[in-house]
Amino acid sequence: MKKIFYLAAILIMSFSACKKDKSIAPPSTVPTVTPPIPSSYVPDNSFKIVAYMPSYKDPATVDASKYKMITHLFYAFLEINAAGDGTLNPLPQPTRFETVKQRAKANGLKFGISLAGLSEYYVKMASSATARTKFVTQVVSFAKSNDLDGVDLDWEYPSTTVGSADNFTLLVQELASELHKANKFLSAAVTPAVYAGGVRDGVKAGAIAAVDFFNIMQYDGTNYDTSEPLNHASYKMSVASLDIWLGSKGLPKEKAVVGMPLYGKDATGKVSIAYRDIEASGANLNLNIATVNGVAYGFNGIPLIKQKTQLAKERANGIMFWEFAHDSNTNNSLIKAANDQLGRAY
């Protein structure tokens, strides 16, 4: 009995001590809330079907069904200011921009802006750390405020000859870093690299590592292929371009996008005609040459587009078209032909 009484006393004393300890505890403070850590940027390595929509084209000229045939659409262009201080010119045709954006978003596309301007403006801007910072800040701000998925840089062209290749690398590294923080991608429209010289070497390893994917402009090469001198975008040119980009330049396959034209060019390489106008002339669309109003044009017919699409499927990770409004809205659409070659539903 005494033992039980003794144990009970100890328990009562312990309970009192606990109550005392609680009474003298310091006032509780508001717990610190740790903000969520942003997820790391993950590049999209899916096969891409890219198209550009110029500001000078009425969006109504592209049938709504065509949006289902692409995965990425760029509004072209937002241009760099001639001062080369990193500022941007006002967006041309903002109403068209909004229309194209809404249609792209409604169809589940990745929508972005393509940046352009004369090379000399970029050379000046990229050579200055201050101007680069201003440029990056303004571009990222534009992308965020307009709910873009990404940005395309169309600098034609950085070159080792004028010493802009290293500054191009710095520019895309800085731009990619800030865009990736906002979970947005960076692509670049680049030379086919089939002609020797400073332009071929203008995109270095550091730039290749920074940019998400490259839209390789494998066209405007009149007389490149001596067997098809009028064809400014021959199959031979596409193969040679990939050999250089994937081979000596070390571009990873998942970043390579094969560019194809939706237009033809005359023998001088200076006069162009839209594919839809070639179709309207009654020309044979299975060939790569058409005579319209007495002028011969080299272009990419339906079989060639399919052949290049298969090449891209095997050796690259996407296809690109310049430009969206040049294509036909009929069953002869070249973008449709590419989708058919891929076996893709649209």
Side-chain angles (χ1 to χ4, degrees):
M1 226 19 213
K2 287 183 179 180
K3 186 175 182 181
I4 293 173
F5 177 79
Y6 179 73
L7 290 172
I10 291 175
L11 287 171
I12 292 169
M13 291 174 66
S14 299
F15 180 73
S16 299
C18 289
K19 288 178 68 178
K20 182 178 180 182
D21 288 343
K22 287 183 70 176
S23 66
I24 63 174
S28 62
T29 57
V30 178
T32 302
V33 179
T34 304
I37 300 173
S39 59
S40 299
Y41 175 77
V42 178
D44 173 13
N45 288 330
S46 61
F47 191 92
K48 300 167 180 65
I49 304 176
V50 181
Y52 291 81
M53 183 65 190
S55 61
Y56 49 82
K57 290 292 183 68
D58 185 348
T61 60
V62 179
D63 190 82
S65 64
K66 299 294 290 297
Y67 286 79
K68 293 292 186 183
M69 299 180 186
I70 59 176
T71 62
H72 292 64
L73 182 61
F74 291 114
Y75 186 80
F77 295 102
L78 179 62
E79 295 199 354
I80 184 175
N81 191 281
D85 59 357
T87 58
L88 302 170
N89 291 339
L91 178 70
Q93 299 286 350
T95 301
R96 289 181 177 178
F97 171 82
E98 287 299 328
T99 297
V100 174
K101 173 185 168 182
Q102 289 171 14
R103 292 180 181 178
K105 295 287 187 179
N107 285 280
L109 306 184
K110 297 290 181 68
F111 181 69
I113 192 73
S114 186
L115 306 167
L118 294 181
S119 182
E120 61 193 77
Y121 304 161
Y122 279 99
V123 169
K124 183 177 180 180
M125 178 273 292
S127 67
S128 164
T130 300
R132 286 198 309 270
T133 298
K134 181 177 288 187
F135 177 78
V136 169
T137 299
Q138 293 205 356
V139 170
V140 175
S141 175
F142 182 92
K144 287 180 177 178
S145 62
N146 287 284
D147 190 28
L148 302 184
D149 296 294
V151 170
D152 178 70
L153 180 60
D154 186 15
W155 172 353
E156 299 182 25
Y157 296 100
S159 171
T160 55
T161 303
V162 296
S164 59
D166 289 334
N167 290 332
F168 175 79
T169 299
L170 292 174
L171 179 64
V172 295
Q173 287 174 335
E174 293 166 20
L175 183 55
S177 176
E178 294 306 310
L179 285 171
H180 290 170
K181 289 177 185 177
N183 200 34
K184 301 181 187 299
F185 67 81
L186 173 65
S187 67
V190 292
T191 171
V194 294
Y195 301 103
V199 168
R200 172 188 281 185
D201 302 323
V203 180
K204 295 188 172 184
I208 288 174
V211 176
D212 291 279
F213 60 94
F214 291 83
N215 298 307
I216 309 171
M217 297 184 282
Q218 297 169 349
Y219 39 73
D220 293 346
T222 303
N223 294 315
Y224 173 78
D225 187 347
T226 55
S227 65
E228 294 184 82
L230 195 59
N231 190 345
H232 70 100
S234 68
Y235 185 75
K236 177 182 177 181
M237 183 179 186
S238 289
V239 170
S241 177
L242 286 180
D243 286 345
I244 294 167
W245 274 103
L246 301 178
S248 58
K249 294 184 74 64
L251 178 66
K253 175 183 177 181
E254 63 268 17
K255 293 189 177 189
V257 176
V258 172
M260 297 185 277
L262 296 175
Y263 62 95
K265 283 205 163 190
D266 73 348
T268 68
K270 297 178 180 179
V271 180
S272 301
I273 183 172
Y275 171 73
R276 62 171 57 190
D277 293 329
I278 293 175
E279 178 194 30
S281 75
N284 187 339
L285 303 178
N286 291 314
L287 302 179
N288 301 323
I289 186 170
T291 300
V292 182
N293 296 325
V295 179
Y297 295 93
F299 72 106
N300 281 191
I302 293 173
L304 181 53
I305 289 293
K306 289 185 174 182
Q307 185 182 24
K308 287 185 177 182
T309 299
Q310 186 62 32
L311 175 69
K313 185 178 180 180
E314 296 171 359
R315 297 191 61 193
N317 198 32
I319 53 178
M320 175 272 283
F321 295 96
W322 176 269
E323 45 89 348
F324 209 23
H326 274 332
D327 195 21
S328 165
N329 288 322
T330 73
N331 285 333
N332 292 321
S333 158
L334 293 181
I335 298 179
K336 174 185 177 296
N339 277 262
D340 290 343
Q341 182 65 30
L342 293 169
R344 181 176 180 270
Y346 47 83

